[in-house]
Amino acid sequence: MIEPVGIKPGVVTERRAASTDPVAAVASTGKAKPAAVAETGARAVAAQMAASAPIDVERVQLIKRAIAEGRFPIAPAEIADRLIAAQYDWADKK
């Protein structure tokens, strides 16, 4: 029989943060930002990310050029399959 990997039932190990713990070291420096400042920074980053979608502009230009030149492969069956799969995925999330 193969032994399972990880903690075995009935074995309890106690872990405590040592003085060399990086989290404890950062907290002890006193240079931590107040919660209000950290939250404001997070909100600013979130607002900046929400302002525009993550778009690879170079890839979009390549696809546009390929469509204009008639080199972009269009497979109606594959498009239909992906639309159906997306619909099932959306239905599962509801």
Side-chain angles (χ1 to χ4, degrees):
M1 184 170 161
I2 299 173
E3 292 291 321
V5 177
I7 298 174
K8 295 181 181 177
V11 177
V12 178
T13 58
E14 187 174 328
R15 297 182 184 192
R16 294 185 181 173
S19 61
T20 59
D21 188 20
V23 175
V26 170
S28 65
T29 61
K31 295 181 181 178
K33 294 182 180 178
V37 173
E39 184 178 324
T40 303
R43 286 184 186 196
V45 170
Q48 181 182 12
M49 291 176 71
S52 64
I55 298 172
D56 185 353
V57 178
E58 185 177 323
R59 180 157 168 77
V60 170
Q61 291 301 322
L62 288 173
I63 292 171
K64 284 183 177 182
R65 192 174 319 124
I67 290 171
E69 295 172 357
R71 296 182 293 113
F72 191 79
I74 297 177
E78 185 176 339
I79 294 170
D81 288 344
R82 289 187 183 194
L83 285 171
I84 292 169
Q87 177 60 37
Y88 281 125
D89 187 39
W90 292 332
D92 288 343
K93 290 181 182 180
K94 287 184 179 182

